[in-house]
Amino acid sequence: MKLKKLLFGGLLFTAFSLTALQSNAQAGRFGVNAGVNFSNITGKDASDAYKLKTGFQAGVTYDIGIADDFVIQPGLSYVQNGAKLDGFDVKTELNYLQLPVTFQYQPELGTGHLLLGVGPYVGMGIGKVKTVINNSSFSGDWDQANLRKFDAGGKLLAGYQLSNGLSLNLNANLGLVKLADVDNPPTTNNTSFGVTVGYKF
């Protein structure tokens, strides 16, 4: 509970307390992005059989200028997490809506901008927990699967934005909330990294 309050409070503070826009070429720009997400279930209690699962991610962002070359960037993303089992045709699909807020350094580099960011995210599981076995799909509620819907953690971002607004971005999410919703849950977390193509208007 303390972790939830801390992360949620940090998101609210960074997203809404900095209201004065300063001189910044990126300030006030709305963006969209989409790409591939490589996810896994990790942690000291995670099975070694868990391997990377390929999924999809897409989102929207907005740059709030705070100083020359620096922005706070809140966003909303749809992310397909989960994992597959090595040696078996089995994968678990966990879909989330995420609210990331990254503090970004965006200096001019060549004719575009370098993008470097770090910050927290909170997420909420949506839809059903889906298990695919030998191309047969089985779905169930999160509580039936003994999994938490709430997720939170840290986000890293690096990329390059062209002068026309197009960008190529690398991102990584490190979950800090235990995935299992049971008494004395094992230490297993969502982790992922991905590549997106973005555009700022």
Side-chain angles (χ1 to χ4, degrees):
M1 184 60 69
K2 289 183 178 180
L3 176 62
K4 291 182 183 180
K5 290 181 179 179
L6 180 62
L7 289 168
F8 185 66
L11 284 170
L12 288 179
F13 176 78
T14 53
F16 301 113
S17 67
L18 300 169
T19 57
L21 297 182
Q22 300 185 24
S23 176
N24 188 303
Q26 298 287 79
R29 298 191 71 173
F30 174 79
V32 295
N33 59 77
V36 63
N37 192 56
F38 302 100
S39 64
N40 201 353
I41 297 173
T42 61
K44 70 181 183 68
D45 297 323
S47 170
D48 292 336
Y50 286 137
K51 301 299 179 183
L52 288 175
K53 181 188 76 67
T54 303
F56 175 75
Q57 61 174 309
V60 294
T61 61
Y62 186 79
D63 286 357
I64 302 172
I66 56 174
D68 288 343
D69 298 332
F70 291 92
V71 304
I72 292 290
Q73 187 184 85
L76 176 65
S77 302
Y78 167 72
V79 180
Q80 292 181 334
N81 280 341
K84 67 179 182 180
L85 286 176
D86 189 31
F88 301 90
D89 191 10
V90 178
K91 63 181 178 180
T92 299
E93 298 179 357
L94 308 174
N95 298 324
Y96 292 86
L97 281 180
Q98 288 185 354
L99 291 169
V101 178
T102 54
F103 175 74
Q104 293 192 18
Y105 178 51
Q106 301 181 345
E108 289 189 15
L109 182 64
T111 59
H113 287 267
L114 181 66
L115 309 175
L116 298 172
V118 61
Y121 77 86
V122 294
M124 183 61 65
I126 59 174
K128 301 286 188 177
V129 174
K130 186 177 179 181
T131 301
V132 180
I133 304 175
N134 296 324
N135 295 319
S136 296
S137 178
F138 305 90
S139 298
D141 293 332
W142 290 73
D143 56 352
Q144 291 175 333
N146 293 321
L147 296 176
R148 301 180 194 271
K149 280 191 171 184
F150 178 80
D151 188 31
K155 185 178 186 71
L156 297 173
L157 179 143
Y160 186 77
Q161 178 187 312
L162 301 173
S163 58
N164 62 6
L166 284 173
S167 66
L168 181 66
N169 310 291
L170 303 175
N171 62 79
N173 292 330
L174 176 61
L176 298 176
V177 175
K178 293 180 180 179
L179 187 58
D181 189 12
V182 296
D183 293 334
N184 300 315
T187 301
T188 57
N189 314 90
N190 285 307
T191 58
S192 67
F193 68 93
V195 181
T196 61
V197 175
Y199 181 77
K200 287 184 182 176
F201 297 91

